[in-house]
Amino acid sequence: MDRISALRNVEDAIRAFEDGEADLADTERRVATVLRTYATEFEVENRRAYHAVDGPGEGRVVVAADPLEARERIASLAAVDDDVDPEDVLVEPL
């Protein structure tokens, strides 16, 4: 799914909410599904989506050029209260 398609799908979900055809929970699910689909298909100019499968930040998804950059970004995002070593983050491409 490209960016324009994703935006149109989000717009459709919001329109359905505004028109009373969907409640907030349905709208949130639709938007989350669009975003998840977009992220799993994301691959632009040597960048792709990676997700943390173990360690600090488990479940986080970031876009990076390679696994090392992904680990560093996830570690930085996960380090809200504690210092997180990127070596402790295990990532896989989506």
Side-chain angles (χ1 to χ4, degrees):
M1 174 183 301
D2 66 10
R3 182 187 299 187
I4 298 300
S5 295
L7 291 171
R8 285 185 182 139
N9 288 332
V10 168
E11 186 176 76
D12 290 345
I14 292 170
R15 186 176 299 112
F17 175 73
E18 291 172 341
D19 292 344
E21 298 168 2
D23 65 8
L24 181 59
D26 290 336
T27 304
E28 288 174 331
R29 278 191 292 278
R30 283 182 67 185
V31 170
T33 299
V34 168
L35 183 57
R36 186 164 307 280
T37 301
Y38 177 77
T40 58
E41 295 176 1
F42 187 90
E43 195 166 344
V44 177
E45 298 177 23
N46 299 323
R47 296 176 66 210
R48 64 182 311 165
Y50 290 88
H51 68 114
V53 294
D54 194 21
E58 183 174 348
R60 288 185 186 261
V61 177
V62 297
V63 174
D66 56 49
L68 177 59
E69 181 184 341
R71 290 183 2 217
E72 290 171 352
R73 294 191 64 192
I74 290 169
S76 174
L77 293 169
V80 175
D81 296 319
D82 300 315
D83 287 331
V84 176
D85 186 348
E87 293 293 321
D88 295 336
V89 179
L90 178 62
V91 298
E92 291 180 353
L94 279 178

